[in-house]
Amino acid sequence: MSQITTGMAAQYSDSSKLAARARLSRDFSRAETPWFTWVARQLPIGPDATILDVGCGPAWFWSEAVAALPSGTALTLLDQSRGMVDEALERCRPLPFASLAGVTADAAQLPFPDGAFDAVIAMHMLYHVADQEKAIAEFHRVLRPGGIMLATTNGIDNMRELYRLTTVFGSGPIDPSAAAFGFDRAEQLMRDRFGNATLSVHPQQMRVTDPEVVYLALTSYPPGSDAPADQQEAFRAVIDAAFAAGGGALDVTKQVGVIVSRKSA
Ligand SMILES: C[S@@+](CC[C@H](N)C(=O)[O-])C[C@H]1O[C@@H](n2cnc3c(N)ncnc32)[C@H](O)[C@@H]1O
């Protein structure tokens, strides 16, 4: 089991560590349509849909996406972290949903009957799940015939200019999320279960001008978060060297996308 599928309780007891990583994209990614709005537009649903958000985290998505979705959505927020579910519910309560529920559960064992939802979304979470096939089978089970599964994840070249710096921690030079559930694997597993899967990549650029934000993002999870002081210092040194070589900024490749499957009617 890789480090990305372990240590979830420490990583996601609340949104603070996730926020350190989200800050990189929030402050330094540029796109014509912001990520969450763009994702919402990839979700082919009509009014009065029932949606399950698996691994909802703090529900930052919904604050932005609710404006881009049809009215009447009945939303169920699910996460294995109780702290995340509580934060997600608090964020979503003022938003105009037809109904709102929060559930603490595992993605691979969903406490819902067959065919309960029009759409299941799993944004940047399946790379944490040890048995991804089982989770996707569960998403398929709880969808009604004709229902939609939407997953988001990263491509293998995502932020390669930054991940190659993490080799000082003994990590591989690639995005660990993409190594565990990249575009190819996501498409393959979803096609295996649903018989169809379509990948769309979000057009965006990243130019980072603050080395400290890079340091905080990439030491917000293991092994960087648990690395000894000499490795942390070495990490700061390679970040500073990369920024110096780039004249004070780093142009970073972004590969982030959505995979959509439809359950046969
Ligand atoms: C990277 S965050 C993504 C949050 C949100 N979906 C987003 O895109 O902003 C991953 C979330 O998945 C949750 N998670 C990880 N493994 C899970 C599992 N097996 N079942 C349910 N939730 C899980 C974590 O607790 C965390 O809140």
Side-chain angles (χ1 to χ4, degrees), residues 8 12 18 21 36 53-58 60-61 78-81 84 105-108 122-125 127-129 152:
M8 289 298 104
Y12 292 123
L18 184 59
R21 298 196 287 285
F36 285 143
D53 181 359
V54 180
C56 60
W60 293 325
F61 171 69
L78 181 144
D79 203 287
Q80 69 179 7
S81 158
M84 287 294 198
D106 189 302
M123 294 184 61
H124 280 83
M125 66 81 57
Y127 45 71
H128 290 309
V129 175
T152 67

Side-chain angles (χ1 to χ4, degrees), residues 39-41 43 45-46 51 61-62 64-73 97:
V39 172
R41 289 181 187 163
L43 190 59
I45 52 152
I51 303 184
F61 171 69
W62 293 102
E64 190 180 311
V66 73
L69 290 171
S71 62
T73 298
F97 293 109

Side-chain angles (χ1 to χ4, degrees), residues 176-256:
S177 316
F181 189 75
F183 289 163
D184 291 348
R185 182 166 170 77
E187 267 191 294
Q188 180 71 55
L189 293 186
M190 288 172 65
R191 186 167 291 120
D192 286 352
R193 176 56 57 175
F194 285 83
N196 61 87
T198 304
L199 167 72
S200 307
V201 179
H202 182 226
Q204 59 169 276
Q205 292 82 42
M206 180 181 261
R207 185 172 176 78
V208 189
T209 53
D210 186 345
E212 186 63 12
V213 177
V214 172
Y215 175 80
L216 292 174
L218 296 182
T219 55
S220 67
Y221 63 93
S225 55
D226 309 325
D230 61 326
Q231 280 188 10
Q232 305 259 358
E233 274 170 39
F235 188 46
R236 279 193 189 279
V238 293
I239 294 172
D240 289 345
F243 274 83
L250 271 184
D251 288 311
V252 175
T253 305
K254 281 306 293 283
Q255 274 189 349
V256 58

Side-chain angles (χ1 to χ4, degrees), residues 96-217:
F97 293 109
S99 68
L100 184 64
V103 177
T104 306
D106 189 302
Q109 273 188 299
L110 296 177
F112 307 109
D114 298 358
F117 297 97
D118 296 313
V120 174
I121 71 169
M123 294 184 61
H124 280 83
M125 66 81 57
L126 273 162
Y127 45 71
H128 290 309
V129 175
D131 192 340
Q132 296 161 353
E133 286 96 332
K134 188 164 178 221
I136 292 170
E138 276 292 84
F139 301 169
H140 184 269
R141 180 184 68 74
V142 302
L143 279 171
R144 66 161 171 80
I148 297 293
M149 174 187 164
L150 179 152
T152 67
T153 196
N154 300 331
I156 203 70
D157 283 329
N158 188 51
M159 300 203 298
R160 61 172 184 245
E161 298 82 357
L162 302 184
Y163 284 110
R164 70 165 184 244
L165 307 178
T166 65
T167 52
V168 300
F169 299 130
S171 303
I174 52 170
D175 181 342
S177 316
F181 189 75
F183 289 163
D184 291 348
R185 182 166 170 77
E187 267 191 294
Q188 180 71 55
L189 293 186
M190 288 172 65
R191 186 167 291 120
D192 286 352
R193 176 56 57 175
F194 285 83
N196 61 87
T198 304
L199 167 72
S200 307
V201 179
H202 182 226
Q204 59 169 276
Q205 292 82 42
M206 180 181 261
R207 185 172 176 78
V208 189
T209 53
D210 186 345
E212 186 63 12
V213 177
V214 172
Y215 175 80
L216 292 174

